Amino acid sequence: MRYLYLTHRWLGLILGPLVVLWLLSGVVMLFVSYPSLTNEEQLGHLQTLQRDLVKVSPETAWHSISGQSLETTPIKIQLEMQQSRPVYYFLTDHWRAVWADSGSRVVIDGEMAIRNALAFQPAEHVSKVSLIALDQWSFSGRLNPHRPLYKVSLDNDSKSEIYISSRTGQVVLETSRHERFWNWLGSITHWVYFTELRANREVWRQVILWPAGFAIALSAIGIWIGILRMRLASRYSRNRHTPYRGLMRIHHVAGYALGLILFTWLFSGWLSMTPLNWLSDRSLSDQELHKWQGQPVSLDDYRLPDHFSAETKLLEWTSFSGKVGVISHLLDKTQRIDAVSGNALPAYTLQQLQAAVRNLKTASLTSIEWLPEQGDAYYTPENKHLPIVRASFAGDSNVSYYINAVTGEIVSSQDTRSRSYRWLFTALHTWNFPGIEPQFWRRLLIIMLSIAGLAISLTGLYYGFKRLALQR
């Protein structure tokens, strides 16, 4: 028992400050998330697409890019406006851009980056422009096809920093002084998300895994000691349940009552680093994606519709079951349109999707159904207006696919491992349980539990340092 107490005390002295920082930064993260630019924000800043300005077909634009084989087809094709001109974007290993009114390749330099940044966020002055590979805010893998990035610092009230793709000229990220300040106290501290460390993913992962693992041991030992020292029947003198007084009494009682919550937070956070690759989210394999898209299509099939809605912000060409579909993105909705006429098409039916789904797995399809508006425990649609279909398979992994019936895109997939990850990390760490709505109540609950966790950690630290000072 003596060694158990000593282990708990020394682990607390070493790791207690880190646990305190995790609790405080977690509360900050409830209100300020890591900087990102959502699709809705990007669409909101785009000009409406003008069909009469488009003079070049997608096929001609693609062939105009030097060094590209005519047999090669891009992964994705998009059309939008930039600087009042239509432009095609083609994705291969990285993005490429071609002016849709002339067929010439878009060349992005610092001056163009400044113009695009000011069009996105007006300001009187630009304080700095630099070409970067990555920095503190641009780690997202979603930005890899756009790198390097132009970082344009604006001299406006919010001290905005706009990140421009050097491949397409698109705005791919925006941060403000408010976001950057609070993220140093929130996400960066919580994730130990420092640039030099995060640049080497495996080193960063180990730096979090080991301290978090020992913090779990600290919590588990504390819970065990708390149980051993708590007397509910035969009590201590003066009818007390605990032998401790003062702050140590708070440490014991709070740890006994709510120490398990702190343990689950530490354990679920540790799981987010996928130790031994036990649990993780599921993503589509290349094989699944190819089966879903069907046989490769010819560039001849990528056609520009004769017309489309005057409110269209972005056109996107997709492949589904060997056929090309054209998706029109408006500010408030997304719709599939006819590749020739541009007329809106209805969502795919269950029968149409079922035929494509059966090609994905050799296991038997157990169900295919419309997902309710509130979603389910494993997927909640970001846009409630988009009909989502859930297709579930039997087998060892019990795979389910969530399909956007408007676009024909698989937006998510789950298996046994990812479902376990959803409960052991997402639910336990963020208290994202079905039924804890609205967001206000979930935040309030996390704040109250964080205060309890701080009471456990800070009183333990105080007592530990006090004992250490007395021994000296």
Side-chain angles (χ1 to χ4, degrees), residues 133 234 317:
S234 57
W317 285 261

Side-chain angles (χ1 to χ4, degrees), residues 105-374:
R105 185 164 186 169
V106 178
V107 179
I108 296 91
D109 56 16
E111 290 299 320
M112 183 176 182
I114 290 174
R115 290 196 299 271
N116 287 355
L118 291 175
F120 185 88
Q121 184 71 270
E124 293 186 4
H125 303 287
V126 173
S127 57
K128 185 179 180 181
V129 180
S130 55
L131 187 64
I132 63 169
L134 56 82
D135 68 358
Q136 184 66 60
W137 313 109
S138 58
F139 273 107
S140 173
R142 183 180 60 85
L143 302 180
N144 289 342
H146 292 282
R147 300 186 198 278
L149 307 173
Y150 282 100
K151 180 179 177 180
V152 182
S153 302
L154 304 181
D155 191 13
N156 56 8
D157 292 340
S158 59
K159 299 298 180 183
S160 301
E161 293 180 349
I162 312 296
Y163 294 75
I164 307 293
S165 168
S166 68
R167 307 287 185 176
T168 65
Q170 292 171 288
V171 176
V172 294
L173 179 65
E174 176 198 18
T175 70
S176 65
R177 176 171 54 187
H178 175 268
E179 284 180 313
R180 295 191 296 271
F181 172 80
W182 284 107
N183 266 277
W184 278 106
L185 302 179
S187 299
I188 295 175
T189 298
H190 199 79
W191 295 334
V192 197
Y193 223 26
F194 303 107
T195 306
E196 294 76 10
L197 182 61
R198 187 66 180 85
N200 189 321
R201 176 176 174 78
E202 186 55 31
V203 172
W204 166 74
R205 180 170 168 269
Q206 296 298 329
V207 165
I208 297 180
L209 268 176
W210 287 100
F214 282 114
I216 293 170
L218 164 67
S219 177
I221 294 171
I223 292 172
W224 180 240
I225 293 175
I227 293 173
L228 292 178
R229 299 292 284 169
M230 181 65 70
R231 292 184 181 178
L232 299 179
S234 57
R235 303 181 182 182
Y236 294 95
S237 61
R238 297 183 181 178
N239 201 33
R240 290 180 294 122
H241 297 292
T242 172
Y244 304 109
R245 301 176 184 275
L247 291 178
M248 193 58 190
R249 181 177 183 177
I250 296 176
H251 181 73
H252 185 203
V253 173
Y256 180 85
L258 296 169
L260 186 60
I261 299 296
L262 185 57
F263 174 85
T264 59
W265 272 343
L266 294 170
F267 179 71
S268 56
W270 181 70
L271 284 180
S272 70
M273 294 290 102
T274 60
L276 304 177
N277 294 319
W278 288 344
L279 304 172
S280 64
D281 283 327
R282 187 182 193 276
S283 57
L284 287 181
S285 66
D286 291 340
Q287 183 180 20
E288 287 174 310
L289 184 60
H290 292 156
K291 286 182 178 180
W292 184 252
Q293 292 177 338
Q295 295 297 320
V297 296
S298 168
L299 275 172
D300 295 335
D301 297 323
Y302 291 91
R303 300 172 183 172
L304 183 67
D306 293 334
H307 68 85
F308 39 76
S309 171
E311 299 177 357
T312 298
K313 297 273 191 171
L314 168 69
L315 279 187
E316 184 174 8
W317 285 261
T318 63
S319 178
F320 169 58
S321 290
K323 297 180 181 179
V324 172
V326 183
I327 310 301
S328 172
H329 296 271
L330 287 67
L331 188 59
D332 59 346
K333 66 178 179 178
T334 298
Q335 60 186 16
R336 186 167 55 96
I337 62 176
D338 185 86
V340 178
S341 67
N343 295 329
L345 297 174
Y348 289 105
T349 65
L350 284 181
Q351 290 72 24
Q352 289 173 313
L353 294 174
Q354 181 173 339
V357 165
R358 289 189 183 278
N359 293 327
L360 286 173
K361 306 291 289 184
T362 57
S364 60
L365 179 65
T366 57
S367 66
I368 180 167
E369 57 190 347
W370 296 105
L371 196 68
E373 282 193 6
Q374 69 270 21

Side-chain angles (χ1 to χ4, degrees), residues 74-94:
I75 300 171
K76 186 179 292 186
I77 302 178
Q78 296 178 341
L79 174 66
E80 66 179 46
M81 298 293 289
Q82 186 179 136
Q83 297 186 2
S84 299
R85 297 177 64 184
V87 58
Y88 285 110
Y89 302 127
F90 300 94
L91 177 62
T92 53
D93 55 336
H94 60 265

